[in-house]
C-alpha cells in the first residue's frame, strides 16, 4: 500500500515493546555487520502489507537476518508477520533513507501491493540515497483465459466511466480507498467487500460486506448469485487469494472490468518467488 502520513510505532526494543522514538536497538543486534549483496547477517527491511511480505518474513524467521516489516497502517487490525514491525509513513524517499541509515538496514525488499505506486517509487529513491540494494517482490498479474469477458481500464476513473455500459449491479473489489471514484454513479448498485468499513464519498446505492480473505470458489459463486451481480470490477492485483471471483464470473458469464497496474520504477530488479529473494540476500 502507498505510504501515508502517520507516526511510526517504532520496532520492538529489548523488552519486546515498540520504541515510539524509532531509535536503533541498543542491544547491538545484527544489522551493521552485513554487507549489501554479500553473505552474512544483515537487517532486512520489508515494505509489506501483502501475503508475499508475510511469507518472506516467515521464511526469514529462522535465518541469520534481522527482519523488520513496515505496514502503511490502512487496516485497523492487520495480520502481523513474524519478526519486528513498524506502522506508518516514512516521509518520502529522504525519510525512508534516514530510517534505513539509523537502523542499520542492509537490504530493502519492496513487497507492497502492486497498486502501491507511490511507495514503490519512494523505495527506489531511498535505495539510491542510502546506497543499499533493493529488490521488488511482486506477484504476477492475472491473464484472461478462454471464456473470460474482460474489459481493461487504465485507472479507477476510466473504470467508472466504462462501468454503466457493462452492468447495473456491480461487485466492486477495487478497495475501500477508491470508492470516491464511483460516487457519482447513481444508477449503479454496488456490493463492496472490505476488511474495515469504508469512509469518505461513496455511491448512493451501496451494500458493504465486512470480511477478510482468502475467499473460496463456492463462496464467490454463492455471492454473485445471491446479490444478482452482473459485472465484477477489480484491480489486476494478481495472486490466488481473490482469484476465485474471476473463475466464478467466467462460469456465470459475467463481464469483468479490470484496472491495469500502475507503472513501476525503472531499473529495479524484481521477482515473484520468495526463494529467489533468499538467494539474493545470500549473495547467490
Amino acid at each position: 500500500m502507498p505510504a501515508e502520513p502517520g507516526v511510526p510505532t517504532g520496532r520492538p526494543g529489548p523488552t519486546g515493546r515498540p520504541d515510539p522514538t524509532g531509535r536503533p536497538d541498543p542491544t547491538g543486534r545484527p544489522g551493521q555487520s552485513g554487507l549489501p549483496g554479500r553473505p552474512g547477517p544483515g537487517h532486512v527491511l520489508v515494505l509489506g502489507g501483502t501475503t508475499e511480505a508475510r511469507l518472506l518474513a516467515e521464511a526469514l524467521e529462522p535465518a541469520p537476518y534481522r527482519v523488520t516489516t513496515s505496514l502503511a497502517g490502512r487496516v485497523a487490525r492487520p495480520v502481523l508477520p513474524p519478526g519486528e514491525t513498524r506502522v506508518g509513513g516514512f516521509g518520502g524517499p529522504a525519510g525512508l533513507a534516514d530510517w534505513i541509515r539509523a537502523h542499520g538496514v542492509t537490504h530493502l525488499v519492496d513487497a507492497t501491493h502492486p497498486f502501491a505506486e507511490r511507495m514503490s517509487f519512494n523505495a527506489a529513491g531511498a535505495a539510491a540515497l542510502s546506497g543499499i540494494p533493493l529488490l521488488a517482490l511482486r506477484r504476477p498479474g492475472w491473464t484472461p483465459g478462454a471464456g473470460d469477458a474482460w474489459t481493461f481500464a487504465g485507472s479507477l476513473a476510466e473504470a467508472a466511466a466504462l462501468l454503466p455500459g457493462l452492468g447495473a449491479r456491480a461487485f466492486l473489489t477495487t478497495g475501500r480507498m477508491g470508492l470516491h471514484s464511483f460516487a457519482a454513479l447513481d444508477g449503479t448498485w454496488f456490493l463492496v467487500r472490505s476488511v474495515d468499513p469504508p469512509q469518505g464519498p461513496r455511491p448512493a446505492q451501496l451494500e458493504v460486506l465486512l470480511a477478510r480473505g482468502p475467499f473460496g470458489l463456492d463462496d464467490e459463486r454463492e455471492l454473485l448469485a445471491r446479490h444478482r451481480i452482473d459485472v465484477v470490477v477489480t484491480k489486476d492485483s494478481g495472486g490466488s487469494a481473490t482469484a476465485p471471483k474471476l473463475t466464478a464470473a467466467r462460469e456465470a458469464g459475467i463481464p469483468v472490468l479490470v484496472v491495469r497496474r500502475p507503472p513501476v520504477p525503472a531499473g529495479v530488479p524484481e521477482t515473484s518467488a520468495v526463494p529467489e529473494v533468499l538467494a539474493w540476500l545470500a549473495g547467490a
Side-chain angles (χ1 to χ4, degrees):
M1 292 184 184
E4 61 182 3
V7 179
T9 61
R11 44 169 191 74
T15 62
R17 294 188 295 271
D19 177 1
T21 67
R23 291 189 297 264
D25 191 339
T27 59
R29 296 184 58 180
Q32 299 288 1
S33 58
L35 294 177
R38 298 182 184 179
H43 184 184
V44 183
L45 175 59
V46 180
L47 305 177
T50 60
T51 299
E52 291 75 22
R54 179 176 52 79
L55 292 175
L56 177 59
E58 291 173 354
L60 288 172
E61 188 176 20
Y65 298 100
R66 172 183 168 193
V67 57
T68 300
T69 300
S70 177
L71 305 174
R74 292 189 181 273
V75 177
R77 292 180 297 276
V79 178
L80 297 179
E84 303 171 14
T85 57
R86 69 172 302 280
V87 179
F90 291 95
L96 176 53
D98 288 343
W99 199 95
I100 286 170
R101 298 187 191 100
H103 294 80
V105 173
T106 58
H107 300 79
L108 180 60
V109 179
D110 174 15
T112 55
H113 192 275
F115 282 80
E117 179 181 6
R118 184 187 308 169
M119 192 65 239
S120 291
F121 279 90
N122 286 351
L129 289 171
S130 61
I132 68 167
L134 166 65
L135 179 66
L137 176 59
R138 295 193 179 96
R139 67 186 76 159
W142 291 317
T143 303
D148 284 321
W150 289 13
T151 299
F152 288 92
S155 65
L156 288 176
E158 183 180 350
L162 293 171
L163 181 56
L166 295 173
R169 296 183 64 83
F171 181 27
L172 183 60
T173 66
T174 56
R176 63 189 178 94
M177 305 303 293
L179 278 182
H180 65 278
S181 297
F182 301 86
L185 298 182
D186 294 335
T188 305
W189 182 89
F190 290 91
L191 175 67
V192 170
R193 184 169 58 196
S194 175
V195 175
D196 297 316
Q199 299 178 353
R202 66 195 72 183
Q205 301 186 71
L206 176 69
E207 180 174 338
V208 178
L209 294 179
L210 297 181
R212 187 190 298 269
F215 305 101
L217 180 56
D218 288 340
D219 296 328
E220 302 295 57
R221 288 168 174 159
E222 191 276 334
L223 181 146
L224 295 182
R226 173 161 47 94
H227 293 280
R228 295 179 288 115
I229 299 299
D230 60 11
V231 60
V232 174
V233 187
T234 186
K235 293 177 178 178
D236 182 15
S237 300
S240 60
T242 59
K245 66 188 174 189
L246 302 175
T247 302
R250 179 174 63 248
E251 292 177 349
I254 295 173
V256 179
L257 180 54
V258 182
V259 180
R260 296 186 186 275
R261 293 183 175 188
V264 297
V268 175
E270 62 180 85
T271 181
S272 61
V274 168
E276 291 187 6
V277 180
L278 302 180
W280 173 76
L281 291 172

